[in-house]
Amino acid sequence: MALRCGLFICFLLWGGMELCYSQPLWQGGSPPVVVECLEAQLVVTVSKDLFGTGKLIRPADLTLGPGECEPLVSMDSNDVVRFEVGLHECGNSLQVTEDALVYSTFLLHNPRPVGNLSILRTNRVEVPIECRFPRSGNVSSHAILPTWVPFRTTVFSEEKLFFSLYLMEENWSSKKRSPTFQLGDIAHLQAEVHTGSHVPLRLFVDHCVATLTPNWNTSPYHTIVDFHGCLVDGLSESSSAFKAPRPGPETLQFTVDVFHFANDSRNMIYITCHLKVTSAYQVPDQLNKACSFSKSSNSWSPVEGAADICHCCNKGSCGIPGRSKRLVGQWPESASRSRRHVTEEADVTVGPLIFLGKAGDHGVEGSTSSLTSVMLGLGLVMVVSLTLATVVLGLAKWRQVAFHPVM
């Protein structure tokens, strides 16, 4: 009986592995050959019932690759035969494509007559095997530690990050359905970076400004976050602050007391933030931080990290001299930097935030309206009363004239 077999292909996925399996050309139950592509090793497991006929093959008739590597020693009671070889052993060939490293080899079943017999009861079969490893990413199934700088560099150059900024409901459970506010309300904002299969990253809000249009390079403007993560809006008469702890390293939440620009009739603003990421394993510092000001303690405090990373917020100068005090239109130099497939930082805008007016305006308007209605009502009553009085007096005079004629 001829062996119906297909091509066995292995794919090593991000941060793990996937067993190779026979293509549908094999008809039957579980595949007779299973391949595992490991970081530096190829493991092939072959069922002794290779042909699915119940006739078991002999391990000595199996070899792997042009180098004819032999299988591991197995007991006669075992149902399988195993090969464990290095990816570069047994004459395996390597092909480099645009997006993968492809190791190719084959499993050979070459039966030989037993003893003095000159007959064979099984066929010679060659089963092609391939292992494909992505050229970008980590080919280890172990945890990634931030000590291998070339690895992180490779990942950053191949992965694309997606930044976002949302208005959230007060309980942070979902995105805000309506962008309307009253002056005196608090806006809840959530910044996120979607990392996909990227190494763990931590998101920071480096700088934020509010403007009257989506173009942040306009005037007037109001700075909300400055100096690489100092929420300076909290210094004024507001409770604006970062929320601690974070929901996760890739998310940062903060609140801003709603405001409007004086001497401008427009009832909306836009908020643009410069977002950036670092490795989640990197300790926060003066250039990568999230600091809020507490009026009760009259001090700055970070969402995470040592307290002294926020001391520079008082000075208004954090990190590299001359790069902290920025006007609108003067983002960090790295903000405009782009790589082949990556955005490590981005400017994201949310808005418009639409204001319905001051929180107390409706109460005042209601009181004024009620008072006006009362005054109008009293005025109408007085007019009607005077009119009736005039009519009554007129009738009385007419009756007097009618019944007492002048002689």
Side-chain angles (χ1 to χ4, degrees), residues 299-359:
S299 62
W300 291 88
S301 59
V303 172
E304 64 264 298
D308 59 1
I309 63 175
C310 297
H311 291 174
C312 63
C313 295
N314 287 323
K315 304 175 183 177
S317 177
C318 297
I320 302 174
R323 191 176 292 183
S324 295
K325 294 184 178 180
R326 296 188 301 275
L327 298 177
V328 172
Q330 294 178 316
W331 297 103
E333 294 177 4
S334 57
S336 59
R337 178 183 59 194
S338 63
R339 297 186 180 180
R340 187 159 55 103
H341 295 297
V342 69
T343 304
E344 295 176 30
E345 41 199 324
D347 298 333
V348 185
T349 301
V350 64
L353 282 69
I354 303 173
F355 309 125
L356 301 178
K358 295 182 180 179

Side-chain angles (χ1 to χ4, degrees), residues 186-232:
I186 296 177
H188 296 69
L189 294 102
Q190 178 168 298
E192 295 179 353
V193 59
H194 302 276
T195 60
S197 57
H198 210 289
V199 293
L201 298 174
R202 180 180 283 113
L203 175 69
F204 291 99
V205 178
D206 190 74
H207 189 77
C208 280
V209 293
T211 53
L212 290 166
T213 68
N215 181 8
W216 50 265
N217 192 18
T218 57
S219 185
Y221 68 90
H222 173 68
T223 302
I224 298 173
V225 179
D226 204 355
F227 312 125
H228 304 295
C230 303
L231 210 163
V232 295

Side-chain angles (χ1 to χ4, degrees), residues 78-348:
N78 291 349
D79 296 330
V80 296
V81 180
R82 284 174 60 87
F83 292 85
E84 294 182 6
V85 300
L87 291 174
H88 296 280
E89 297 176 356
C90 304
N92 298 345
S93 64
L94 171 62
Q95 179 184 4
V96 181
T97 66
E98 182 178 353
D99 57 356
L101 301 178
V102 183
Y103 290 88
S104 301
T105 187
F106 58 86
L107 174 70
L108 178 64
H109 175 250
N110 187 23
R112 290 179 289 272
V114 178
N116 296 326
L117 298 178
S118 59
I119 61 173
L120 296 173
R121 300 186 186 275
T122 55
N123 292 328
R124 184 182 187 276
V125 174
E126 184 177 305
V127 181
I129 296 174
E130 280 189 359
C131 282
R132 292 179 176 268
F133 296 86
R135 293 184 63 186
S136 61
N138 174 34
V139 297
S140 172
S141 60
H142 301 291
I144 302 169
L145 298 178
T147 55
W148 185 17
V149 176
F151 170 77
R152 292 205 308 271
T153 303
T154 301
V155 173
F156 273 128
S157 66
E158 296 295 336
E159 289 288 334
K160 184 165 184 175
L161 306 176
F162 298 92
F163 295 86
S164 56
L165 183 65
Y166 302 112
L167 286 172
M168 303 293 291
E169 296 290 352
E170 291 184 10
N171 59 5
W172 303 102
S173 62
S174 61
K175 297 177 185 177
K176 187 173 173 60
R177 296 181 180 179
S178 170
T180 58
F181 295 87
Q182 291 182 348
L183 291 179
D185 287 348
I186 296 177
H188 296 69
L189 294 102
Q190 178 168 298
E192 295 179 353
V193 59
H194 302 276
T195 60
S197 57
H198 210 289
V199 293
L201 298 174
R202 180 180 283 113
L203 175 69
F204 291 99
V205 178
D206 190 74
H207 189 77
C208 280
V209 293
T211 53
L212 290 166
T213 68
N215 181 8
W216 50 265
N217 192 18
T218 57
S219 185
Y221 68 90
H222 173 68
T223 302
I224 298 173
V225 179
D226 204 355
F227 312 125
H228 304 295
C230 303
L231 210 163
V232 295
D233 186 60
L235 290 170
S236 59
E237 296 300 321
S238 73
S239 60
S240 303
F242 287 111
K243 185 177 181 292
R246 297 172 181 254
E250 71 287 346
T251 303
L252 187 58
Q253 298 170 332
F254 61 103
T255 59
V256 176
D257 287 19
V258 170
F259 59 88
H260 75 99
F261 287 97
N263 303 321
D264 192 284
S265 59
R266 284 170 283 188
N267 65 335
M268 64 180 63
I269 63 170
Y270 294 81
I271 297 177
T272 300
C273 293
H274 182 71
L275 309 181
K276 65 180 182 181
V277 294
T278 66
S279 167
Y281 305 103
Q282 179 177 328
V283 178
D285 53 30
Q286 289 190 4
L287 292 177
N288 305 285
K289 62 184 182 299
C291 297
S292 303
F293 183 76
S294 171
K295 292 183 177 63
S296 59
S297 62
N298 195 34
S299 62
W300 291 88
S301 59
V303 172
E304 64 264 298
D308 59 1
I309 63 175
C310 297
H311 291 174
C312 63
C313 295
N314 287 323
K315 304 175 183 177
S317 177
C318 297
I320 302 174
R323 191 176 292 183
S324 295
K325 294 184 178 180
R326 296 188 301 275
L327 298 177
V328 172
Q330 294 178 316
W331 297 103
E333 294 177 4
S334 57
S336 59
R337 178 183 59 194
S338 63
R339 297 186 180 180
R340 187 159 55 103
H341 295 297
V342 69
T343 304
E344 295 176 30
E345 41 199 324
D347 298 333
V348 185

